[in-house]
Amino acid sequence: MDNFSAFLSFMAFVLLLKQILIVDGISDTTKDDGFMGILGAIVDNSSRIGKEESVAMQIAVEDFLNKSNRRLDLKIRNSQGDPLQAALAARSLINTDQVQAILGPQTWEEVSLVAEIGSKSHIPIMSLADATPEWATELCTFLVQASPNKLKQMEAIAAIVQRWEWHQVTIIYEDEDFSAPAVLSHLSNALKEVGAEISHYVAIEPFASSSLSEELERLKISQNRVFVVHLSLPLAVELFEKAKRMKMMEKDCVWIITDPFASLVLSLNASTISSMQGIVGVKSYIPKNETHFRDFHDKFCQRFSLEYPEEDNHEPSIFAAQAYDAAWTVALAMREKKQGRQQIISNILQSDFNGLSGNINFTSQTIAPAHTFQIINVIGESYIELGFWSDGRGFSETTGESYTLQSSTNALGLVSWPGGTRVTPKGWSPPTSANPLKIGVPTRASFKQYVEVEMEKDHLGNISCSYKGLAIDVFKATLDELPFDLPYHFFPFNGTFDALVEQIHLKNFDAAVGSISILANRYQHAEFTAPYTESGLVMIVPVRSRTREKAWLFIKPFTNAMWVLIGATSIYNGFVIWLIERNHCPELKGSISNQVGTLIWLAFSTLFSMNGNKLNSNLSRITMVVWLFMALVITQTYTAKLTSLLTLPQLEPTVVDVFALQNSNAMVGCAGASYISKYLEKVLHFRHNNIKNFSRGDEYAPALRTREVAALFLDLPLAKVFLAENCKSFTMTGPTYKVGGFGFAFPRGSQLLPSVTQAMLKVSENGTFQHLEQNMLASQKCMDTDLEDERLSLRLSPSYFWVLFVFTGGTSSMALAIYIFCAYNSMSMSEHNVIWKLMMAVMKHWGNQRGRFSRKVSDIAQTTPTNSPNATEY
């Protein structure tokens, strides 16, 4: 009993002496000169990472003892992943075990509480959490981030997406993960750099199996098939097991996993790995070929199998290497005896050596970030190494290569994708009848020829819509050229075109079809197909006329038939007058050629002069009077018509260019709520007050006719339609200002866009679009006419003067008939008188003087006076 009391007294003395020697963290609890102090650690022994960290730390302490002959006691506490348990463990380590530094824990929720306790006691805390906020290290001067920042792996993922030419990804992350915002931000920025984007964000709640199933169901019917998984080990395992049961681990799907899950693939059992076949992973790089790591690997596998026989795989991951390096860093900082805690933290931050996980050095209490990652492909019960990705160098087959990203995109090995195929998945699947495309169609299009939405209401009050126009026809023709079926539904949208494009970005529509101009500012919300129309902005102005065909304008008042009839009538009347008057006018006689010339002169001179006083016959006078009356009417009508034509000029633009509009301060018009108004103001420098916006296409023509606006600016395709309707009154003038043309809008990075664009080009190249456009323009009826052509179409024809022609022709013909009749009678009477007189003379002279009978009959005839009283004047 006395011996036992003496032993208790001795132990009490030793404890008292230990307490006295503890000053500012300096302890000398043993007479061993190699003892440096006590190191605490907080791990989650219920997780694979915690188990690896625990074994790695023990090996590190033993290796340090063997190498430097200096001993460090390691006190490990199990937090079970609970922040409160971690805080209690930290208090126990500091107050009870008198540790001089603490390693761990693994999550930020635990680290935040432990760091607060450690800072109050001036105990260095080596955080092994994936990420620690910058403000935390500034606030807690004794907090050191001992695990490297792995956000660079998001750039590696973006490089993978670029390598296989995908454009959209779906990110699946843990809702309560503290690092999720930083991960999502870095991934989004990295994808934008390579022309891709995150199409869907899927947040998974821990321990919510039902929500996980619901999210997978939604992903299954979506078009995107590239999934990036950033989850913890338990949640990721559950995700892939459910995905396999839902047949989402088959061909056409792409699954990319990140650290920390990718680094723990080897720790999974065969059943779990079987549900992950074909997955591509980005894991932290470990220099396994170095001698130091191989020695650690052997020790780790042996110790881990002994301490955790329930684990199927004993391979160390990056987390074991990081825990080993953290313990080694603290051991180096404490290798000098009786160092204060401030000196320990200072030594830690000055560390610079090559550890198992890479170079160990610190900046602003944070270890250098990771810049090299390994790309793996899960096949069978393990994975194969596809290559490496390094910041600034891109892909490479080994870490020793220095190829740039541009020259090393083919450095990755052949991938076995989900479903066992070696063919690279498209990364998307066409819409199905169960999930057709939702296509927005504008209802405010100013020209219904391109797109028109007609709404009808049935007797039940249900509204149905019909869609037609050139844009709709082109879209349907494009779908016919696709190598796959593309179900879709049109939906009317009553808003501006900018708002319609924005709806695609807001996920309300999958595409937009219509007369949508391709503009740079709209690319922030969507991408566009190749333009299916001519591109350009043109100016339309009214036309004015200028005289054309001046040399032959004098013949335009009458038709050709009228001229022929006038000539024929004139010659006929001249002939009648010549025939009647030739016996009275010696100048009308002579040779045949002279008489023909005189006849023609007489025929046409009567049109321009009054020759009534020179006529001797009443018949010719009557003929002349009637003909002169008609000539007067025709001459006056011709003069009036010619005057009208001379005052009708040929059509020409009223405005030549925009400079004339600007100099005259004229008003110009354009479609309301379009980009044209801004273009006129910012590019063409029109004043804002001089720009008038129109909401409807039928307002354009009246505004131009009434000079409300001097010019109208329209897209070239719409200008064609406008001029087809108003084919004579307006014209295009000035240069064509280059703009994007009309196209169809799709989400940014849409997997459908390349196929639709290719099909649209086929529609243009095979002539289908030209045929559709020509049919559309041909169906437009011109609403106005050319004034000059209208007036020329009213050229005077014989139908306007047929009464006059009949009157004068009848009068001339009647005079000719009377003249012929009278001439015949006169000739008969003259012959009868001559014979009778001859007989009387014969009888008279026969009885009185027979000798005188020999007088010539001709002498008797010659004695007959020419102007006898019996002669008739015609």
Side-chain angles (χ1 to χ4, degrees), residues 411-587:
L412 297 181
L414 193 62
V415 181
S416 175
W417 302 103
T421 179
R422 296 283 183 176
V423 179
T424 302
K426 295 184 297 183
W428 62 281
S429 63
T432 61
S433 56
N435 186 34
L437 281 180
K438 295 185 296 182
I439 300 178
V441 180
T443 60
R444 294 186 181 180
S446 57
F447 286 85
K448 305 302 181 183
Q449 294 85 349
Y450 267 85
V451 58
E452 182 178 9
V453 181
E454 294 182 350
M455 299 184 181
E456 298 179 356
K457 184 182 293 185
D458 59 19
H459 64 283
L460 298 178
N462 299 322
I463 298 178
S464 60
C465 298
S466 61
Y467 305 87
K468 59 183 180 180
L470 180 62
I472 302 299
D473 295 337
V474 171
F475 179 74
K476 293 179 178 179
T478 300
L479 297 189
D480 291 340
E481 297 292 338
L482 290 175
F484 51 84
D485 185 35
L486 187 63
Y488 65 91
H489 287 317
F490 287 135
F491 293 90
F493 179 76
N494 186 24
T496 64
F497 283 86
D498 284 339
L500 173 60
V501 174
E502 188 176 0
Q503 294 302 308
I504 299 176
H505 176 70
L506 298 176
K507 311 299 183 184
N508 294 326
F509 291 131
D510 298 318
V513 170
S515 52
I516 305 172
S517 296
I518 303 175
L519 304 175
N521 66 310
R522 291 177 178 173
Y523 263 87
Q524 61 183 325
H525 300 306
E527 292 184 0
F528 295 86
T529 62
Y532 63 88
T533 62
E534 295 179 75
S535 61
L537 180 67
V538 296
M539 180 172 67
I540 297 177
V541 298
V543 293
R544 59 189 176 192
S545 303
R546 62 171 180 256
T547 304
R548 61 184 183 182
E549 298 180 358
K550 296 180 180 180
W552 296 98
L553 188 63
F554 69 92
I555 68 172
K556 295 298 182 181
F558 294 150
T559 62
N560 295 334
M562 182 70 177
W563 284 114
V564 171
L565 188 57
I566 290 174
T569 304
S570 298
I571 293 175
Y572 178 71
N573 288 339
F575 170 77
V576 172
I577 294 173
W578 170 81
L579 185 63
I580 296 174
E581 292 292 328
R582 75 185 187 90
N583 290 329
H584 304 285
C585 299
E587 61 266 30

Side-chain angles (χ1 to χ4, degrees), residues 38-42 57 75 86 89-94 99-105 114 117-118 123-128 142 144 330:
I38 302 174
L39 176 62
I42 302 175
M57 292 175 188
K75 304 294 184 180
R91 288 189 180 276
S92 174
L93 289 171
I94 294 172
V99 298
Q100 293 170 274
I102 296 178
L103 304 178
V114 172
I117 296 172
I123 299 295
I125 307 297
M126 300 288 287
S127 171
L128 295 176
F142 280 81
V144 178
V330 175

Side-chain angles (χ1 to χ4, degrees), residues 821-833 874:
F821 178 77
C822 293
Y824 177 79
N825 289 339
S826 177
M827 185 180 296
S828 300
M829 183 64 68
S830 177
E831 292 178 355
H832 182 270
N833 289 340
Y874 300 101

